[in-house]
Amino acid sequence: MRVLEMLLVASSVLVLMVLLFRNIINRKVGAAASIACGLLLAAQLLFEGYRWQMIPAYIVTALLLAFVLFRRRKVGKPLRYTILALSVVFLSVSVALSVLLPVFHLPKPSGEFMVGTETFHFIDADREETFTEQKDDKRELVIQVWYPAAESGRSAEKNVVFPKDRGLFHAYMQAYSGYLGLPAPALDYWKYSRANTSIHADLHPANHPYPVVLLSHGMGVGRILHTSQAEHLASHGYIVFAVDHTYSTVMTAFPDGRVTGFLTEQSQERLFEDSRAILDVWNKDTAFIVDQLEKLHSGAITSKFEGMLDMDNIGMLGHSFGGAAAFEAVYSNLRIKAGVNMDGTLFITKNRDDMKKPFMFMESEDFMNVNEQQAKYRKTLATDAELKELRLTREQFDTILANREMELKLMDRLSQQGYGQTIYIEGAGHYNFTDLQLYSPLIRLTGMTGSMNGERGAEIVNRYVLEFFNQHLRGIESKLLAGPTKDYPEVKYPNSVFQGE
């Protein structure tokens, strides 16, 4: 709960005790106490802002104020206890809702630098948009960059997680509410959630260019869910470029006010064919972005980043489908030096074991569970009942199983060659690799995240990602990546991820 919200609830409880447990009370004292409570309500609404979780507490405060100001006689015990009981219930509901659905703020980055952010809109004039049927529709991308900010950034406009523009914010809430299966007004309080960045702050001066990390989101979400990861890297001296892969996001907003939704087709029947076609589009997005980085660095595109992007040290980080895109980009793009896949299935594995670049696979707890299940299925064919539960035909199941085996073999071969590394995190679910784990403790009840505390999950992911890029983009040897550590017992290093015969 926020400070004034806690004071409001505490003052309401105090007024209840004073008014309802004393048969005789100085009328002026009671009026003063309730008016003070009312002033706290006004202050909370003015300085912190309304949110629906506090409605029961607002009702209690208003009723107490009215009760004191307009009471004409002593109150009998039945009425006193009824008022007390209802008020306690209402206040308890507000407290519970406020704790379980909090006004979350992203964790403060641990690096030495302040963080700045701004957004670019790029159009690839050489590429037709394949997700729409509009003629001559070119591929457009929105990229947000986070970077080490100069001290002057302290006075710059502070950023929130979602856009401040009311219309744009409501558009995002409509999109995310559909994704989460909730009514849009239930997410209205997200407007108060703060990030740790200053908008358009100056770049921190340095005698050398900063290493670069590209960031790719999962299918159907967007770059916003990776804000804290980008902030963390930027605070440690990286410049992070996160893309919204247009038409594969829950929503993409362009500077001219246009918004796009999700138009990507990825059917169960043609999962791998569709996914490989989408990966091709995303891989071209990444290549195009690197082209734009070259122009930013050279000054062909005017920006604060001229001469400050280390084009010899570019890494890529991705989650879920974005993790698969990160692997494909690192493999195919000579300009990208190293990469991290956060819990993403690889859809292209053939001939990829000749990759000679460092790559880390960060997996959720389900990674090893699924691996064990597949080892069992290899020995005994899945029954029709099991296939029905999985909602798969036998052909689809066999295709998925074969791809999974190829993926695990590839991960093992890369590890044996000294280029690949695989870790998995006990207690982590698929969305523990995003900021969604920080939004509410109730997220874990949906199965989107694991049993792990969200703040702990963010700390582990951010630490290991930073150590990986420090080692492979900056040449700083990491003891953390060498094996298990008592500081992070949740992180496991399997000797082999392939449990074949």
Side-chain angles (χ1 to χ4, degrees):
M1 295 183 71
R2 295 177 289 178
V3 174
L4 291 179
E5 290 175 348
M6 290 189 288
L7 290 176
L8 179 62
V9 171
S11 66
S12 296
V13 172
L14 181 60
V15 171
L16 273 173
M17 300 296 290
V18 171
L19 295 181
L20 300 179
F21 279 106
R22 295 184 61 177
N23 289 326
I24 299 174
I25 184 172
N26 185 298
R27 188 176 182 84
K28 291 182 179 180
V29 172
S34 291
I35 290 172
C37 193
L39 290 175
L40 263 177
L41 170 59
Q44 194 278 320
L45 291 172
L46 178 63
F47 294 108
E48 289 182 337
Y50 153 87
R51 62 170 175 147
W52 62 265
Q53 293 92 325
M54 289 296 295
I55 288 177
Y58 298 155
I59 292 173
V60 170
T61 302
L63 289 178
L64 286 175
L65 183 60
F67 176 76
V68 170
L69 295 179
F70 301 107
R71 187 180 59 154
R72 293 291 179 266
R73 58 187 177 82
K74 293 181 180 180
V75 180
K77 284 186 177 181
L79 181 56
R80 288 210 312 270
Y81 289 128
T82 298
I83 293 174
L84 175 64
L86 289 175
S87 297
V88 168
V89 170
F90 274 42
L91 291 173
S92 297
V93 168
S94 266
V95 170
L97 289 173
S98 298
V99 170
L100 294 175
L101 298 169
V103 174
F104 62 91
H105 301 308
L106 299 185
K108 186 177 181 180
S110 63
E112 62 178 298
F113 297 105
M114 295 180 57
V115 180
T117 189
E118 62 182 64
T119 304
F120 291 98
H121 171 216
F122 294 132
I123 301 176
D124 188 348
D126 298 326
R127 191 157 49 118
E128 297 293 327
E129 178 57 75
T130 58
F131 292 123
T132 66
E133 297 179 358
Q134 184 177 338
K135 188 177 180 180
D136 297 326
D137 190 9
K138 302 299 182 182
R139 183 71 170 163
E140 296 184 61
L141 297 173
V142 173
I143 291 95
Q144 186 170 358
V145 55
W146 290 263
Y147 53 88
E151 287 296 312
S152 59
R154 294 185 186 278
S155 60
E157 181 186 0
K158 298 303 179 183
N159 198 18
V160 288
V161 175
F162 289 89
K164 288 183 179 180
D165 179 84
R166 242 355 233 179
L168 193 54
F169 173 79
H170 282 303
Y172 268 107
M173 293 309 98
Q174 287 287 346
Y176 272 93
S177 64
Y179 184 79
L180 296 172
L182 296 170
L187 306 181
D188 184 66
Y189 69 99
W190 284 7
K191 63 190 174 190
Y192 301 121
S193 295
R194 293 196 300 271
N196 300 284
T197 49
S198 300
I199 302 174
H200 302 305
D202 291 334
L203 181 68
H204 193 282
N207 296 324
H208 51 78
Y210 293 101
V212 174
V213 173
L214 309 177
L215 203 163
S216 188
H217 58 80
M219 182 64 69
V221 282
R223 71 180 192 275
I224 285 178
L225 289 189
H226 296 278
T227 300
S228 72
Q229 294 170 359
E231 289 181 342
H232 186 259
L233 286 169
S235 78
H236 285 272
Y238 290 86
I239 298 182
V240 183
F241 290 84
V243 60
D244 269 351
H245 293 284
T246 315
Y247 301 113
S248 296
T249 64
V250 67
M251 193 187 101
T252 298
F254 294 103
D256 60 6
R258 289 176 297 130
V259 297
T260 63
F262 186 78
L263 294 179
T264 304
E265 294 184 4
Q266 192 181 24
S267 66
Q268 186 69 53
E269 293 75 18
R270 291 178 46 84
L271 177 63
F272 291 96
E273 293 87 347
D274 289 346
S275 297
R276 287 163 186 154
I278 298 164
L279 271 177
D280 181 62
V281 175
W282 286 29
N283 196 33
K284 289 175 180 175
D285 287 349
T286 302
F288 172 69
I289 292 168
V290 177
D291 289 342
Q292 306 316 299
L293 299 190
E294 296 275 10
K295 294 177 182 179
L296 290 169
H297 181 64
S298 69
I301 296 177
T302 303
S303 76
K304 58 174 63 74
F305 304 110
E306 182 176 350
M308 297 308 296
L309 303 178
D310 188 348
M311 299 305 294
D312 293 325
N313 285 292
I314 301 176
M316 186 163 178
L317 170 69
H319 170 246
S320 193
F321 201 89
F327 181 80
E328 190 62 17
V330 172
Y331 176 82
S332 62
N333 196 313
L334 296 176
R335 297 172 293 180
I336 303 177
K337 189 174 180 180
V340 179
N341 175 349
M342 299 185 295
D343 210 37
T345 296
L346 299 184
F347 295 98
I348 302 176
T349 56
K350 189 176 180 181
N351 300 325
R352 294 300 187 260
D353 55 355
D354 61 346
M355 185 169 76
K356 307 299 182 184
K357 299 178 185 179
F359 200 90
M360 182 166 68
F361 299 89
M362 299 181 70
E363 307 288 347
S364 65
E365 184 178 85
D366 288 342
F367 172 76
M368 293 307 293
N369 294 337
V370 171
N371 197 8
E372 291 171 1
Q373 291 172 5
Q374 290 184 317
K376 179 189 73 172
Y377 288 141
R378 276 192 292 268
K379 295 177 181 178
T380 59
L381 291 176
T383 65
D384 291 338
E386 289 172 327
L387 291 174
K388 185 176 181 181
E389 184 178 348
L390 294 170
R391 297 180 181 178
L392 296 171
T393 66
R394 186 165 297 280
E395 182 180 3
Q396 291 169 344
F397 176 81
D398 290 343
T399 301
I400 292 173
L401 183 59
N403 185 81
R404 182 65 166 176
E405 289 188 357
M406 292 176 65
E407 178 184 10
L408 296 175
K409 288 179 179 178
L410 171 62
M411 293 164 69
D412 260 355
R413 283 196 294 270
L414 292 177
S415 177
Q416 292 165 11
Q417 294 166 10
Y419 294 102
Q421 183 171 33
T422 300
I423 62 174
Y424 73 97
I425 305 172
E426 285 188 341
H430 191 56
Y431 281 88
N432 281 109
F433 298 92
T434 73
D435 290 348
L436 194 61
Q437 64 182 326
L438 302 169
Y439 285 22
S440 167
L442 294 180
I443 292 291
R444 71 183 64 174
L445 300 181
T446 68
M448 299 177 78
T449 60
S451 58
M452 173 176 289
N453 174 273
E455 287 74 16
R456 178 65 171 176
E459 176 190 349
I460 291 174
V461 171
N462 286 342
R463 178 72 188 281
Y464 276 79
V465 166
L466 176 64
E467 291 277 332
F468 177 85
F469 286 126
N470 276 348
Q471 178 163 302
H472 297 293
L473 299 185
R474 283 190 161 134
I476 303 172
E477 193 67 27
S478 172
K479 294 181 180 179
L480 187 68
L481 298 180
T485 171
K486 63 180 181 180
D487 292 335
Y488 300 106
E490 304 96 329
V491 179
K492 306 298 180 182
Y493 290 74
N495 294 326
S496 173
V497 295
F498 179 65
Q499 301 180 8
E501 297 178 354

